[in-house]
Amino acid sequence: MSNFDEVRLPSTDWRAYRGVLSRRVFAFLIDYAIVALLWVPAAVVVFFLGVITLGLGWMLYPALFVIVAMLYFGLTIGGPNQASVGMNVMDLAVMRVDGRPMDFLTSVVYLVLFWIGNAILTPFILLIGLFTDRSRLLHDLLLGTVVVRPSRL
């Protein structure tokens, strides 16, 4: 059972959104350090896969970081806590505005929209959170999600 069984809709309490924007930055740094660490054993596996397949497996190297990141975020944000490891450390969780839980596919789309928004608006992507309700960023608005502090719910 997750923490969100009792609370499905995002809270209207302002304390659930206090300090979310700055915590998201630190969660991002923690998560991408973890993805970089997970990339190393994945690269070793792809190396041996390339040896077994006579070099065909090595064509996975250009997309390996993206694959590892999508699996990491899809399994963690789409999991029962609805938060990645960095989000858990920073006391954050992603919730959908319609009250449904995040699933694997929605989490991957969340990540891809973040990458696209970051590529277009860097470093101004965080400025959007200063002017929106509940400190929502562009990918939150597009996907109908909100980041909350679950300990404040």
Side-chain angles (χ1 to χ4, degrees):
M1 288 217 157
S2 69
N3 323 10
F4 301 103
D5 287 339
E6 312 84 39
V7 181
R8 282 290 183 206
L9 294 174
S11 175
T12 55
D13 187 3
W14 62 272
R15 291 175 295 183
Y17 309 103
R18 189 174 186 186
V20 165
L21 200 55
S22 59
R23 289 172 178 268
R24 286 178 86 159
V25 172
F26 290 111
F28 168 82
L29 295 173
I30 292 168
D31 285 330
Y32 276 90
I34 292 170
V35 169
L37 289 174
L38 291 173
W39 180 84
V40 174
V44 172
V45 169
V46 167
F47 173 77
F48 287 114
L49 181 67
V51 170
I52 292 170
T53 61
L54 302 174
L56 289 176
W58 293 331
M59 290 194 290
L60 287 173
Y61 274 124
L64 189 60
F65 193 84
V66 172
I67 293 168
V68 170
M70 284 183 173
L71 285 173
Y72 172 76
F73 285 104
L75 293 172
T76 55
I77 294 177
N81 287 336
Q82 296 190 325
S84 62
V85 174
M87 290 177 162
N88 278 328
V89 169
M90 297 307 297
D91 186 34
L92 296 174
V94 181
M95 298 180 77
R96 292 174 63 162
V97 176
D98 61 5
R100 293 184 296 165
M102 294 286 284
D103 58 351
F104 181 84
L105 185 60
T106 307
S107 302
V108 170
V109 172
Y110 184 81
L111 175 67
V112 170
L113 287 176
F114 168 73
W115 284 341
I116 292 169
N118 203 14
I120 294 170
L121 298 174
T122 299
F124 301 113
I125 192 167
L126 292 175
L127 290 179
I128 295 171
L130 296 175
F131 300 106
T132 57
D133 65 325
R134 301 182 278 187
S135 299
R136 295 170 71 187
L137 300 180
L138 180 62
H139 56 285
D140 293 321
L141 295 170
L142 291 174
L143 204 56
T145 59
V146 65
V147 176
V148 296
R149 295 180 61 188
S151 66
R152 304 291 179 141
L153 293 176

